[in-house]
Amino acid sequence: CTVDLRDGNQSLIEPMDVERKKRMYALNLKVGIKEIEVGFPSASQTDFDFVRWLIEADQIPDDVWIQVLAPARDAFIDRTFEALKGAKRAIFHLYHAAAPVMRNVVFGLSQDDVVNQLTIPHVRQVRAAMAKRPETEWRFEYSPEIFSSTEPEFAVEVCNAVVEVFQPTPANKLILNLPATVEAATPNVYADQIEHFCRNIARRDSVLVSLHTHNDRGTGVAATELGLMAGADRVEGC
């Protein structure tokens, strides 16, 4: 899955406008990528308008899944579903913070608070919204933010809560995306974290373990390769 187009939440000095996004999207299609994260519709009008253009102008081939990102906040989830109105197939990518620095410094939440206030209610919200729109073929993706800096046991716990609420099956797999949001260790450490996760996540046959490696140390590709060797199924990158 390519995430080049998702710059709406990155606070870039010069974020892509719709025309530049169109050119990047066309290049992604030309390369042959079948899953494309096309934006963060709740982050900016530009991203929202670009997603609407893709759908209304019939720019999505039948064998391509568009993916959109949304934070675990009620209004932002609603806005994201609004952007996807009329889509034939879409991956809804939900994320929230799980790492200690985010829990303790930013939110002031315990591990239990994260699961009960951020994870469970918002996964339920997404699942209910999907059920109301049967005309779209849905897939669901969840990311615990800064997975690579989260306690391995808690990363499994929070993702198992998602599995329990979403109830994936081998025919309708849940994507659990594990970001190295800040690359703060060597690739073998990330691979160990991925191996631990794959061994302990519930319903492994109903889950796609996805890698999302940042490149702060310049070893994002190596971390991805080792993560795949450690048991992952899918890669997000640029």
Side-chain angles (χ1 to χ4, degrees), residues 91 177 179:
I91 303 170
N177 188 57

Side-chain angles (χ1 to χ4, degrees), residues 173-206:
K173 293 188 177 184
L174 166 69
I175 301 169
L176 293 175
N177 188 57
L178 307 177
T181 314
V182 179
E183 191 182 30
T186 49
N188 59 297
V189 173
Y190 183 66
D192 286 346
Q193 292 170 318
I194 298 301
E195 183 177 7
H196 176 271
F197 186 91
C198 289
R199 287 181 173 180
N200 291 282
I201 191 66
R203 301 198 197 186
R204 182 66 181 91
D205 64 344
S206 301

Side-chain angles (χ1 to χ4, degrees), residues 139-155:
R139 295 175 70 190
F140 180 52
E141 174 174 348
Y142 167 78
S143 292
E145 192 179 3
I146 323 187
F147 162 81
S148 55
S149 299
T150 301
E151 304 91 336
E153 295 78 12
F154 182 59

Side-chain angles (χ1 to χ4, degrees), residues 10-229:
Q10 302 295 345
S11 301
L12 300 178
I13 297 172
E14 294 183 62
M16 286 187 276
D17 59 21
V18 170
E19 289 306 313
R20 186 175 169 194
K21 284 179 181 286
K22 288 179 180 179
R23 294 198 300 274
M24 179 65 81
Y25 177 75
L27 179 60
N28 285 330
L29 291 181
K30 185 177 180 181
V31 169
I33 297 168
K34 301 303 181 185
E35 295 182 9
I36 303 174
E37 192 163 74
V38 294
F40 192 133
S42 65
S44 72
Q45 191 64 44
T46 298
D47 270 33
F48 187 93
D49 291 344
F50 178 64
V51 175
R52 292 310 308 152
W53 174 78
L54 289 172
I55 296 167
E56 293 171 0
D58 197 21
Q59 295 295 311
I60 307 165
D62 288 341
D63 62 344
V64 169
W65 290 80
I66 61 167
Q67 177 172 304
V68 292
L69 185 71
R73 292 178 61 181
D74 295 359
F76 288 7
I77 291 170
D78 290 342
R79 176 74 167 162
T80 304
F81 274 104
E82 185 182 339
L84 289 171
K85 195 173 296 181
K88 294 176 184 175
R89 46 168 47 177
I91 303 170
F92 193 104
H93 182 187
L94 181 77
Y95 78 96
H96 67 67
V101 67
M102 304 292 281
R103 296 194 317 258
N104 300 332
V105 177
V106 180
F107 292 108
L109 297 176
S110 68
Q111 290 184 353
D112 286 346
D113 290 336
V114 167
V115 172
N116 294 315
Q117 295 180 28
L118 294 181
T119 311
I120 292 175
H122 293 107
V123 174
R124 285 175 176 162
Q125 181 183 357
V126 170
R127 193 164 187 254
M130 288 177 173
K132 292 177 182 176
R133 301 261 287 275
E135 69 277 8
T136 299
E137 184 180 356
W138 296 105
R139 295 175 70 190
F140 180 52
E141 174 174 348
Y142 167 78
S143 292
E145 192 179 3
I146 323 187
F147 162 81
S148 55
S149 299
T150 301
E151 304 91 336
E153 295 78 12
F154 182 59
V156 170
E157 179 186 340
V158 72
C159 288
N160 275 340
V162 176
V163 171
E164 181 64 28
V165 173
F166 198 75
Q167 293 290 308
T169 65
N172 182 26
K173 293 188 177 184
L174 166 69
I175 301 169
L176 293 175
N177 188 57
L178 307 177
T181 314
V182 179
E183 191 182 30
T186 49
N188 59 297
V189 173
Y190 183 66
D192 286 346
Q193 292 170 318
I194 298 301
E195 183 177 7
H196 176 271
F197 186 91
C198 289
R199 287 181 173 180
N200 291 282
I201 191 66
R203 301 198 197 186
R204 182 66 181 91
D205 64 344
S206 301
V207 167
L208 288 173
V209 174
S210 176
L211 307 178
H212 183 114
T213 59
H214 286 210
N215 200 42
D216 308 74
R217 296 169 53 90
T219 56
V221 172
T224 300
E225 290 174 332
L226 288 182
L228 289 169
M229 292 170 67

